[in-house]
C-alpha cells in the first residue's frame, strides 16, 4: 500500500522536528528544581564585592527567570535530561562563604564544579560530599580555611581535585583514599601539615601530584611503585624528611620530580634500580640536606632537560659525566662543597646547554676553555669559588651568552670589551685592574647590569662607560677611581635605576645630570671626596628611594627641597658640610616617605617646632599598613626582576665620652640620626608619633628642656642616644616600659631625679648616665666594679674599631642599593649569591598566576 505524498511529507516533518528539539540547546528547558537551586545559590552572595565594588551580577546578569537556566552564564545542562551537569563561575567575585545548606548542594547531577578565583572564604562545608557525581572539583585561588572535610571521600568519581592557593590547614583526611579514580591532585600553596595518609597509596591512577608549599612532614611512602601512571610529582617546599624514595624514580612514566626545600638527607642514591624512569626530564632536589658525591648513575636519565641539586651538602669533584646527557639544558650545582677543577672534556653531545650555575662551591683552577663548546649557553654563573687567572678569550665565541657572573673569585688582568654585548656582567670582588683596549671604540652594546665593584681598578673614571647607553644598573664601588664624575653619564640617565660609586677617590662636584633620571631609584656616591653643592636636577628623580652622599666634602644648605620626592625612603647626608636649618616654615610638607635619615656630623643649626615630625607618615605607619619598598627592577629572561637589595650604613652612640660606630644588618629599621650638629631648643613632642621608630640618636647637640614624655609611645624603640646635650628634668618613667629598648645613653646632660627601675634601665652600663650629678637610683647600675672615670668627651666621626667596653647595641641605618643577582658587595654588607641566585630561580618558576618563565614549564 502506497502512502500519499502529503502524508509522507507530514510524517518526515514531525520526525525531523522531534529530533531537532532533542538536539537543539536553545529549545531544551531547564528543570524548575534546577533553576530554583541556582537562583537560591545566587542569592546567597552579596550583590557587590566590597573589596573592589564589582557587582557579581555583571557576570550573572543572565541568571533570571526570563531566560532558560540552561543558557545561563557558566551553566551547562545535559542534552537529554536538562539537568545541570556543569557549573563554571571562575573569576566571578562571589565574596562570601559556602553555606552548609547552600542551594549548590541541591544540584545532585553536577559532574563539574569550578569556583576558582571567586573570593570565597570560610570552611569547605561537609555538604560538598553530597555531590557524589562530581568528576571535577576546582576551588583554587580562594581564601578557604579549615580542614578538608572527611566527606570529600564521598566523591569517588573525581578525576580532578584542585585546591591550589587557599589557606587550608591540618592533615588530609584518610577518606581521600576513596578517590580511586583521581588523576589530578593539586593541593599546593596551602598550610596542610602532618603525614600523608596511608590510604594515599590507593590513588593508583594519579597523573599529577602537586603538594608544593605546605607544611607536610615525616617521610614519603617508601614504596611508590604503584603509581605507574605518574607524570608530575611536586612536593617541594614542605618539611618531608628521610632519604630519597628510590621507588619514585622507577616509575616509567615519571617526567617531572620536584622535592626541593625539604629536609631529605643522606646520599642521592639511584643504584640498584633495574628499571629507571626513561622519561624523566626535570629533577629538582635543591635546598635539602643531601650529602656525598653526585652519583654517576644520573647519566642514565638520557632525556633529562633540567637538573637542580643546589644548596645541599654535596661533596666530591666536578661531575663531568652529567655532560654526556644529550638533552641537558640547565644544570644548577650552586651552594655545595664540590672541589677541584672544572673539566667538561669533549662533550659536544651536550650542545643543548643553556644554563650553568656552579656558584658557591670550592672549584679552583682556571675557567676551562672547553666551556666555549656550548654554543647555546645563555647563562654562566661561576661566582664564589676559587677560580684564578684571566677570563678565557674562547668565551667570546658564545654568541647567545647573556648573563656572566664571576664574583668573588681570584681573577686578575683585564676585563675584555666583548662582555659589553651581554645583558648582565657581574665581576665584583676579584682583582681585575684594567679594561680591554677596544673598550674605547665601543659602538653597539647591550649591557644593562654592570657590577665592577671591589676590584683593583684605579685612575680616572673611564669615560667609555658613557657609551653603554642601555645601562640600568652601574656599580663601581670600592675601587680606586679618582678624578671627577664625567657629565657624559647623562647619556644613559633616562634608563638608569641604580648608580653606585661609593668608596672611591672621586673628587669635584656631583655633576648636574639628573634631569632625565626619572627611573633612578638609588644614588650612592658616599665615601669619596666630592665637593660643591647637591645638583638641583635631583628634584626630577621622582622614583628615587635612596640618596647617600655620606663622607664627602659637600658644602650646601640643607636640601629641604628633597622632601618633595614622593618615594624617598633613605636620606644619608652624614659627614659633610651641610649647614642651615632643617625646618623651613615656607617649605611645603615633605619627607613623608622617609624611613631612614642620617644628617649627623654636619653644621646644621636651629630649633625644631613641636609639630616637626607630624608629617613623617612612613615612620608613623605601623608595619603592614602599606606595601614594602618598591624595589629596583631589571629585566631577566624577558621578565622583570626585582633587583634592589638592602645594605646597612651605620650609626654611632657615645659611651665614656667616645663616639663609636656600629654596624649591623636589620632591614626593618626606622632610623633618625641628627647627632653631631648644633640643634637647640626642645626636642619636638611630635617625635612620639613615629610608632615605627627603632633607633633615635640626637646626641652631641644643644637640645634643652625636658625629655619628651611622648618618647614612651615608641613601643618599638631599640636604641636611644640623647647624650652630650643640655637636657634637664627627669628621665620619663614611661621609658621603662619600652621592652625592646636594649641600648640607651643619657650621659653629659643636666638630668635629675630617679632612674626608672625597669629591667631595660637596670641592665645598662653605668657610663650611660655619667655626668648627670643629680640623677639618683644608680646604686644597682653603678656597682663598684663598673665604675669608670669620666673622660672629656671626644667627637670622632668614624672610628673603625669599637672600644672594648662600649655599649653593645644593634645600631643600624638602613640604606639599600642594587644587589646583583649573582651576589654583591656594597659597603660593609655581603649579599650572598646563595640568596640572590636562589631568588632569581624562584622568580622564574612561579605559577602563571604570578609569573611563568618563558619557554619552559612552570616548576611549581
Amino acid at each position: 500500500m502506497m502512502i500519499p505524498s502529503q502524508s509522507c511529507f507530514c510524517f518526515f516533518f514531525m520526525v525531523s522536528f522531534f529530533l531537532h528539539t532533542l538536539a537543539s540547546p536553545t529549545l531544551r528547558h531547564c528543570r524548575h528544581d534546577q533553576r530554583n537551586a541556582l537562583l537560591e545559590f545566587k542569592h546567597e552572595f552579596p550583590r557587590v564585592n566590597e573589596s573592589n565594588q564589582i557587582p557579581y551580577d555583571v557576570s550573572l546578569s543572565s541568571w533570571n527567570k526570563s531566560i532558560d537556566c540552561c543558557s545561563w552564564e557558566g551553566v551547562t545542562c545535559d542534552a537529554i535530561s536538562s539537568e545541570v551537569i556543569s557549573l563554571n563561575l571562575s573569576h566571578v567575585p562571589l565574596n562570601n562563604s559556602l553555606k552548609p545548606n547552600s542551594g549548590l548542594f541541591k544540584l545532585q547531577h553536577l559532574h563539574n564544579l569550578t569556583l576558582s578565583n571567586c573570593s570565597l572564604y570560610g570552611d569547605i562545608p561537609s555538604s560538598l560530599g553530597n555531590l557524589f557525581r562530581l568528576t571535577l572539583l576546582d576551588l583554587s585561588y580562594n581564601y578557604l580555611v579549615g580542614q578538608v572535610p572527611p566527606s570529600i571521600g564521598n566523591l569517588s568519581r573525581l578525576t580532578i581535585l584542585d585546591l591550589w592557593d587557599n589557606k587550608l590547614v591540618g592533615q588530609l583526611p584518610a577518606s581521600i583514599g576513596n578517590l580511586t579514580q583521581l588523576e589530578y591532585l593539586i593541593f599546593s600553596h596551602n598550610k596542610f601539615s602532618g603525614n600523608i595518609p596511608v590510604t594515599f597509596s590507593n590513588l593508583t591512577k594519579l597523573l599529577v601530584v602537586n603538594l608544593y608549599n605546605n607544611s607536610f612532614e615525616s617521610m614519603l611512602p617508601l614504596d611508590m611503585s604503584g603509581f605507574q601512571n605518574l607524570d608530575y610529582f611536586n612536593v617541594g617546599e614542605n618539611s618531608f624528611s628521610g632519604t630519597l624514595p628510590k621507588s619514585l624514580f622507577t616509575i616509567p612514566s615519571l617526567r617531572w620530580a620536584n622535592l626541593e626545600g625539604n629536609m631529605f638527607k643522606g646520599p642521592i642514591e639511584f643504584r640498584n634500580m633495574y628499571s629507571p624512569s626513561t622519561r624523566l626530564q626535570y629533577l629538582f632536589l635543591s635546598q635539602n640536606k643531601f650529602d656525598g658525591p653526585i652519583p654517576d648513575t644520573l647519566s642514565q636519565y638520557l632525556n633529562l632537560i633540567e637538573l637542580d641539586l643546589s644548596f645541599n651538602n654535596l661533596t666530591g669533584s666536578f661531575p663531568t659525566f652529567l655532560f654526556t646527557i644529550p638533552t641537558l639544558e640547565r644544570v644548577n650545582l650552586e651552594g655545595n662543597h664540590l672541589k677541584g677543577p672544572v673539566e667538561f672534556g669533549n662533550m659536544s653531545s651536550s650542545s643543548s646547554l643553556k644554563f650553568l650555575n656552579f656558584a658557591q662551591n670550592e672549584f679552583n683552577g682556571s675557567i676551562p676553555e672547553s666551556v666555549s663548546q656550548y654554543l647555546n649557553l645563555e647563562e654562566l654563573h661561576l661566582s664564589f669559588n676559587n677560580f684564578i687567572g684571566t677570563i678565557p678569550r674562547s668565551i667570546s665565541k658564545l654568541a647567545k651568552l647573556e648573563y656572566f657572573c664571576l664574583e668573588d673569585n681570584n681573577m686578575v688582568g683585564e676585563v675584555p670589551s666583548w662582555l659589553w654585548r651581554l645583558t648582565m656582567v657581574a665581576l665584583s670582588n676579584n682583582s681585575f685592574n684594567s679594561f680591554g683596549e677596544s673598550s674605547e671604540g665601543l659602538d653597539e652594546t647591550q649591557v644593562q647590569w654592570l657590577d665592577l665593584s671591589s676590584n683593583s681598578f684605579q685612575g680616572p673614571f673611564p669615560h667609555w662607560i658613557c657609551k653603554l647607553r642601555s645601562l640600568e644598573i652601574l656599580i663601581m664601588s670600592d675601587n680606586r677611581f679618582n678624578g671627577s664624575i664625567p657629565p657624559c653619564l647623562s647619556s644613559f640617565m633616562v634608563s638608569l635605576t641604580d648608580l653606585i660609586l661609593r668608596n672611591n677617590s672621586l673628587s669635584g662636584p656631583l655633576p648636574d645630570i639628573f634631569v632625565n633620571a626619572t627611573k633612578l631609584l638609588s644614588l650612592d656616591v658616599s665615601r669619596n671626596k666630592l665637593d660643591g653643592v647637591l645638583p638641583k636636577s635631583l628634584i626630577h628623580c621622582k622614583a628615587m628611594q635612596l640618596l647617600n652622599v655620606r663622607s664627602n666634602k659637600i658644602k650646601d644648605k640643607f636640601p629641604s627641597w628633597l622632601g618633595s620626592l614622593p618615594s624617598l625612603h633613605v636620606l644619608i647626608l652624614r659627614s659633610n658640610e651641610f649647614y642651615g636649618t632643617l625646618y623651613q616654615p615656607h617649605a611645603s610638607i615633605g619627607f613623608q616617605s622617609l624611613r631612614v635619615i642620617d644628617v649627623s656630623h654636619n653644621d646644621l643649626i636651629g630649633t625644631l617646632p613641636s609639630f616637626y615630625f607630624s608629617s613623617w607618615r612612613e615612620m608613623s605607619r605601623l608595619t603592614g599598613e602599606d606595601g614594602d619598598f618598591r624595589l629596583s627592577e631589571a629585566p631577566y629572561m624577558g621578565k622583570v626582576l626585582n633587583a634592589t637589595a638592602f645594605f646597612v650604613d651605620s650609626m654611632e652612640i657615645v659611651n665614656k665620652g667616645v663616639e663609636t660606630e656600629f654596624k649591623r644588618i636589620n632591614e626593618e629599621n626606622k632610623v633618625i640620626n641628627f647627632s653631631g650638629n648644633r640643634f637647640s631648643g626642645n626636642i619636638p613632642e611630635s617625635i612620639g608619633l613615629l610608632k615605627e621608630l627603632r633607633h633615635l640618636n640626637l646626641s652631641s647637640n644643644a637640645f634643652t628642656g625636658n625629655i619628651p614624655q611622648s618618647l614612651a609611645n615608641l613601643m618599638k624603640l631599640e636604641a636611644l642616644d640623647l647624650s652630650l646635650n643640655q637636657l634637664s628634668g627627669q628621665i620619663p618613667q614611661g621609658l621603662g616600659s619600652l621592652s625592646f629598648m636594649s641600648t640607651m645613653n643619657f650621659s653629659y646632660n643636666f638630668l635629675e631625679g630617679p632612674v626608672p627601675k625597669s629591667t631595660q634601665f637596670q641592665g645598662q652600663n653605668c657610663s650611660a648616665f655619667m655626668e648627670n650629678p643629680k640623677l639618683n637610683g644608680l646604686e644597682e647600675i653603678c656597682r663598684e666594679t663598673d665604675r669608670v672615670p669620666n673622660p672629656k668627651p671626644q667627637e670622632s666621626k668614624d672610628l673603625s674599631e669599637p672600644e672594648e667596653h662600649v655599649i653593645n647595641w644593634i645600631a643600624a641605618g638602613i640604606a639599600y642599593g642594587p644587589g646583583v643577582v649573582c651576589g654583591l658587595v656594597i659597603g660593609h654588607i655581603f649579599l650572598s649569591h646563595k640568596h640572590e641566585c636562589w631568588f632569581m630561580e624562584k622568580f622564574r618558576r612561579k605559577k602563571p598566576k604570578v609569573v611563568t618563565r618563558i619557554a619552559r614549564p612552570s616548576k611549581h
Side-chain angles (χ1 to χ4, degrees):
M1 176 177 170
M2 297 288 294
I3 301 177
S5 59
Q6 186 174 0
S7 301
C8 181
F9 173 82
C10 292
F11 173 77
F12 284 110
F13 175 79
M14 293 173 63
V15 172
S16 175
F17 178 79
F18 176 72
L19 293 176
H20 178 75
T21 300
L22 288 178
S24 173
T26 60
L27 294 178
R28 67 173 181 267
H29 293 287
C30 167
R31 287 173 37 175
H32 287 185
D33 63 321
Q34 305 282 283
R35 180 194 65 190
N36 294 339
L38 287 169
L39 289 175
E40 181 182 341
F41 179 61
K42 174 183 176 179
H43 294 146
E44 293 167 10
F45 299 95
R47 183 176 181 275
V48 173
N49 181 345
E50 294 178 0
S51 63
N52 53 25
Q53 299 300 305
I54 299 175
Y56 74 77
D57 56 2
V58 168
S59 300
L60 302 184
S61 58
S62 61
W63 285 36
N64 62 77
K65 293 183 178 181
S66 65
I67 302 174
D68 187 89
C69 77
C70 293
S71 300
W72 289 358
E73 182 73 25
V75 176
T76 303
C77 295
D78 184 86
I80 298 175
S81 67
S82 295
E83 293 160 338
V84 177
I85 59 173
S86 176
L87 182 60
N88 185 347
L89 299 182
S90 179
H91 293 87
V92 175
L94 299 177
N95 197 42
N96 208 335
S97 59
L98 290 173
K99 296 176 171 52
N101 59 348
S102 170
L104 173 67
F105 304 126
K106 297 178 182 179
L107 301 173
Q108 294 286 310
H109 297 276
L110 271 181
H111 293 181
N112 302 331
L113 176 59
T114 299
L115 299 178
S116 172
N117 218 330
C118 292
S119 298
L120 292 171
Y121 52 85
D123 294 334
I124 298 176
S126 59
S127 315
L128 186 66
N130 297 339
L131 303 179
F132 63 92
R133 290 185 175 88
L134 280 180
T135 59
L136 182 153
L137 175 59
D138 183 356
L139 300 177
S140 62
Y141 298 117
N142 284 294
Y143 305 98
L144 299 171
V145 298
Q147 295 184 299
V148 175
S151 62
I152 197 79
N154 298 341
L155 309 181
S156 58
R157 302 183 187 182
L158 274 182
T159 59
I160 299 175
L161 176 56
D162 188 352
L163 302 178
W164 177 299
D165 201 2
N166 280 280
K167 299 180 180 181
L168 298 166
V169 299
Q171 289 189 293
L172 298 183
S175 61
I176 201 168
N178 297 340
L179 310 183
T180 55
Q181 303 301 309
L182 202 61
E183 298 177 358
Y184 294 84
L185 176 65
I186 305 172
F187 286 178
S188 56
H189 296 281
N190 280 283
K191 299 179 181 180
F192 291 119
S193 59
N195 302 336
I196 300 295
V198 176
T199 55
F200 188 82
S201 60
N202 298 341
L203 311 182
T204 56
K205 293 188 177 182
L206 281 172
L207 302 175
V208 170
V209 173
N210 192 347
L211 306 179
Y212 183 83
N213 193 17
N214 281 282
S215 299
F216 290 113
E217 53 194 16
S218 77
M219 298 175 63
L220 288 174
L222 291 178
D223 185 8
M224 302 187 67
S225 58
F227 301 99
Q228 288 297 298
N229 299 314
L230 194 61
D231 173 81
Y232 178 101
F233 184 73
N234 190 346
V235 295
E237 301 297 337
N238 281 282
S239 299
F240 290 113
S241 58
T243 57
L244 192 68
K246 299 179 188 178
S247 59
L248 175 66
F249 300 97
T250 65
I251 298 173
S253 59
L254 187 66
R255 184 182 58 88
W256 187 292
N258 181 9
L259 289 79
E260 70 173 15
N262 283 283
M263 295 188 289
F264 295 111
K265 60 184 180 180
I268 298 175
E269 183 63 70
F270 296 103
R271 298 185 185 279
N272 302 321
M273 295 197 316
Y274 298 104
S275 57
S277 171
T278 56
R279 291 191 61 209
L280 190 65
Q281 295 178 325
Y282 300 92
L283 178 58
F284 305 101
L285 302 179
S286 64
Q287 302 167 71
N288 280 284
K289 299 179 181 180
F290 293 119
D291 55 29
I294 299 173
D296 56 10
T297 45
L298 271 173
S299 60
Q300 67 190 323
Y301 296 104
L302 298 179
N303 292 304
L304 200 61
I305 294 174
E306 181 164 2
L307 175 65
D308 189 348
L309 304 179
S310 60
F311 302 116
N312 282 286
N313 297 312
L314 300 172
T315 57
S317 57
F318 183 75
T320 304
F321 53 84
L322 286 178
F323 300 92
T324 62
I325 301 174
T327 55
L328 202 59
E329 294 182 5
R330 299 175 58 85
V331 179
N332 192 348
L333 305 179
E334 180 181 4
N336 283 287
H337 304 290
L338 303 170
K339 297 181 179 181
V342 172
E343 298 176 346
F344 293 102
N346 185 19
M347 303 299 174
S348 59
S349 59
S350 291
S351 59
S352 300
L353 274 171
K354 297 178 180 179
F355 176 94
L356 292 178
N357 188 354
F358 305 149
Q360 201 172 327
N361 279 282
E362 299 171 37
F363 293 124
N364 57 31
S366 301
I367 299 173
E369 298 273 354
S370 56
V371 72
S372 62
Q373 68 187 302
Y374 303 120
L375 298 179
N376 290 306
L377 199 62
E378 298 172 358
E379 301 180 37
L380 180 59
H381 301 267
L382 304 176
S383 301
F384 304 99
N385 281 287
N386 298 309
F387 290 113
I388 60 173
T390 59
I391 297 174
R393 291 185 178 181
S394 60
I395 297 182
S396 64
K397 299 177 184 178
L398 302 177
K400 296 183 180 180
L401 191 65
E402 294 186 51
Y403 301 91
F404 183 47
C405 299
L406 192 53
E407 297 133 306
D408 214 293
N409 281 282
N410 300 308
M411 304 296 293
V412 298
E414 75 172 26
V415 176
S417 59
W418 60 263
L419 287 173
W420 314 142
R421 74 169 190 244
L422 308 185
T423 299
M424 185 181 76
V425 179
L427 305 178
S428 64
N429 282 275
N430 283 283
S431 297
F432 293 112
N433 57 19
S434 62
F435 302 100
E437 293 181 4
S438 57
S439 293
E440 294 292 344
L442 292 174
D443 292 320
E444 294 186 10
T445 64
Q446 301 295 325
V447 64
Q448 298 175 12
W449 193 328
L450 177 59
D451 181 9
L452 301 174
S453 62
S454 301
N455 276 282
S456 300
F457 300 114
Q458 57 185 328
F461 192 96
H463 283 233
W464 55 263
I465 283 182
C466 297
K467 298 180 180 180
L468 306 180
R469 297 181 183 274
S470 299
L471 270 179
E472 297 182 7
I473 294 177
L474 176 61
I475 310 166
M476 303 185 72
S477 56
D478 299 287
N479 282 287
R480 287 178 286 171
F481 291 116
N482 58 38
S484 61
I485 299 173
C488 63
L489 292 185
S490 61
S491 63
F492 50 71
M493 278 296 160
V494 68
S495 61
L496 202 67
T497 62
D498 300 271
L499 178 60
I500 311 297
L501 304 178
R502 63 181 284 143
N503 201 21
N504 282 284
S505 295
L506 299 169
S507 58
L510 182 60
D512 203 1
I513 57 175
F514 302 98
V515 172
N516 297 317
T518 56
K519 296 181 181 179
L520 191 65
L521 298 179
S522 57
L523 173 62
D524 187 347
V525 292
S526 61
R527 299 181 185 274
N528 280 286
K529 300 176 181 178
L530 300 175
D531 55 27
V533 299
L534 279 184
K536 293 298 189 291
S537 58
L538 287 171
I539 197 67
H540 298 283
C541 303
K542 298 301 183 183
M544 181 175 285
Q545 299 180 356
L546 163 83
L547 176 60
N548 187 357
V549 298
R550 168 191 174 156
S551 299
N552 281 285
K553 300 177 181 179
I554 297 173
K555 188 171 185 177
D556 197 359
K557 288 184 177 180
F558 176 75
S560 57
W561 47 271
L562 289 174
S564 65
L565 297 181
S567 301
L568 187 62
H569 294 311
V570 179
L571 178 61
I572 302 179
L573 307 180
R574 167 198 169 145
S575 298
N576 279 280
E577 298 177 32
F578 287 100
Y579 59 89
T581 60
L582 286 186
Y583 174 64
Q584 316 238 343
H586 61 277
S588 60
I589 295 176
F591 298 116
Q592 296 189 29
S593 297
L594 270 185
R595 297 188 177 190
V596 174
I597 181 170
D598 186 349
V599 296
S600 61
H601 303 300
N602 281 284
D603 196 22
L604 300 170
I605 62 173
T607 61
L608 301 176
S610 60
F611 57 83
Y612 181 73
F613 295 106
S614 60
S615 64
W616 289 32
R617 183 184 59 202
E618 197 66 33
M619 291 195 194
S620 303
R621 191 193 339 260
L622 293 175
T623 300
E625 289 183 9
D626 200 2
D628 296 328
F629 286 109
R630 291 181 309 149
L631 302 178
S632 84
E633 298 174 341
Y636 191 84
M637 295 302 289
K639 293 294 179 183
V640 170
L641 174 63
N642 287 328
T644 296
F646 293 95
F647 71 90
V648 171
D649 203 83
S650 61
M651 278 187 66
E652 296 78 23
I653 190 167
V654 175
N655 186 45
K656 303 180 191 175
V658 178
E659 188 176 77
T660 304
E661 183 179 38
F662 292 80
K663 307 176 181 74
R664 191 69 178 264
I665 297 175
N666 190 329
E667 293 184 3
E668 296 182 354
N669 279 345
K670 307 295 187 300
V671 177
I672 293 177
N673 189 354
F674 287 178
S675 64
N677 285 284
R678 292 189 291 150
F679 295 119
S680 58
N682 292 334
I683 297 172
E685 193 74 26
S686 57
I687 192 76
L689 299 174
L690 308 184
K691 296 177 289 187
E692 287 291 296
L693 193 62
R694 305 293 181 93
H695 302 287
L696 176 60
N697 190 347
L698 303 179
S699 66
S700 300
N701 281 286
F703 285 114
T704 58
N706 295 336
I707 298 173
Q709 297 286 337
S710 63
L711 282 177
N713 299 331
L714 307 182
M715 301 305 294
K716 294 187 178 181
L717 196 65
E718 298 173 12
L720 173 64
D721 190 349
L722 301 179
S723 63
L724 288 158
N725 280 285
Q726 300 173 31
L727 298 170
S728 57
Q730 297 189 5
I731 297 175
Q733 294 296 310
L735 295 182
S737 64
L738 302 181
S739 57
F740 288 102
M741 192 161 69
S742 58
T743 305
M744 60 191 76
N745 194 344
F746 299 94
S747 63
Y748 295 96
N749 281 287
F750 302 104
L751 300 171
E752 60 186 46
V755 172
K757 295 293 185 181
S758 70
T759 303
Q760 285 75 21
F761 275 78
Q762 298 301 310
Q764 297 298 310
N765 192 292
C766 180
S767 60
F769 306 96
M770 64 168 51
E771 293 301 315
N772 288 282
K774 294 185 179 181
L775 275 181
N776 56 60
L778 294 172
E779 293 78 10
E780 290 298 316
I781 299 174
C782 295
R783 297 171 183 170
E784 193 65 31
T785 56
D786 290 339
R787 293 189 182 275
V788 293
N790 298 344
K792 182 179 179 181
Q794 303 174 30
E795 293 194 7
S796 173
K797 290 189 178 181
D798 289 305
L799 297 181
S800 58
E801 295 296 331
E803 189 174 339
E804 184 176 0
H805 296 292
V806 296
I807 299 176
N808 184 16
W809 70 307
I810 298 175
I814 301 173
Y816 57 101
V820 171
V821 170
C822 317
L824 178 62
V825 172
I826 302 180
H828 312 296
I829 302 305
F830 167 69
L831 301 177
S832 78
H833 183 93
K834 175 176 181 179
H835 297 100
E836 293 296 324
C837 275
W838 175 83
F839 172 75
M840 180 178 69
E841 286 299 294
K842 289 293 175 190
F843 177 86
R844 294 183 307 184
R845 290 176 183 159
K846 292 182 179 178
K847 200 181 175 186
K849 181 185 178 184
V850 184
V851 157
T852 301
R853 186 183 182 277
I854 294 175
R856 73 191 263 279
S858 169
K859 180 178 178 181
H860 300 163

